[in-house]
Amino acid sequence: MRRVILAVTGTIAGLVALLSFKSHSPTVPVAATTGTGGSSSSSSSSSSSRTIPGEFQSVAGPLTAGETTITGKVANTAYGPVQVQLVVKSNKIVKVGILEQPTNTIHDIQIGEFAFPKLISETLSAQNAKIDAVSGASYTSAGYISSLQSAVDHGL
């Protein structure tokens, strides 16, 4: 009899804990992730002035001497378009910005917030488009790498 009472009490306590769980809302990145040197800009090159939650800003804006921007082609993925923009100085990638990313659902935004910083970091380290995809963000990673490759082919 004691076992039954303990089992029922434990089950009720577990259900109460589960039902009272609140998930957190994602944070919103403010500016593009920068590499070595240079200043980042929070201005966007898109025609719309609204900020989509989870969207990284363009790296266009005031550039230092010798820096140029290269915009990759839009890569259409199963969840939406991905497009990157590079800032290059002396044939070296110094900044990467995300111009377009999937934003149809909160899950898309969370995946972008998780995957893009890792992809950008790898890009700045590798200095080319031969980078690994992020686990759990296969489609987004493939779109990023495709857009990155088009930018590298165009400008490096």
Side-chain angles (χ1 to χ4, degrees):
M1 186 68 175
R2 273 191 209 170
R3 288 183 186 174
V4 172
I5 293 173
L6 287 174
V8 170
T9 305
T11 302
I12 291 171
L15 284 173
V16 167
L18 181 64
L19 295 174
S20 66
F21 178 75
K22 304 263 191 268
S23 62
H24 69 285
S25 59
T27 58
V28 179
V30 179
T33 304
T34 60
T36 57
S39 62
S40 66
S41 171
S42 61
S43 67
S44 178
S45 66
S46 66
S47 59
S48 172
S49 63
R50 67 186 178 98
T51 301
I52 298 171
E55 182 177 45
F56 286 82
Q57 300 297 315
S58 166
V59 292
L63 301 173
T64 61
E67 288 184 341
T68 59
T69 60
I70 303 167
T71 302
K73 293 181 182 177
V74 175
N76 290 310
T77 69
Y79 297 102
V82 178
Q83 185 178 26
V84 301
Q85 184 178 53
L86 307 176
V87 174
V88 178
K89 183 175 185 177
S90 302
N91 287 336
K92 183 177 179 186
I93 301 170
V94 294
K95 296 180 197 171
V96 179
I98 308 300
L99 296 180
E100 289 190 54
Q101 74 177 69
T103 57
N104 295 328
T105 66
I106 192 74
H107 187 64
D108 293 340
I109 294 168
Q110 289 172 334
I111 287 175
E113 288 176 346
F114 171 76
F116 287 125
K118 291 181 180 190
L119 293 166
I120 290 169
S121 176
E122 276 199 55
T123 302
L124 294 172
S125 296
Q127 291 294 308
N128 59 41
K130 293 178 179 145
I131 60 174
D132 292 331
V134 174
S135 179
S138 302
Y139 291 106
T140 301
S141 296
Y144 175 91
I145 293 168
S146 175
S147 183
L148 176 63
Q149 184 65 57
S150 72
V152 168
D153 290 345
H154 186 267
L156 288 183

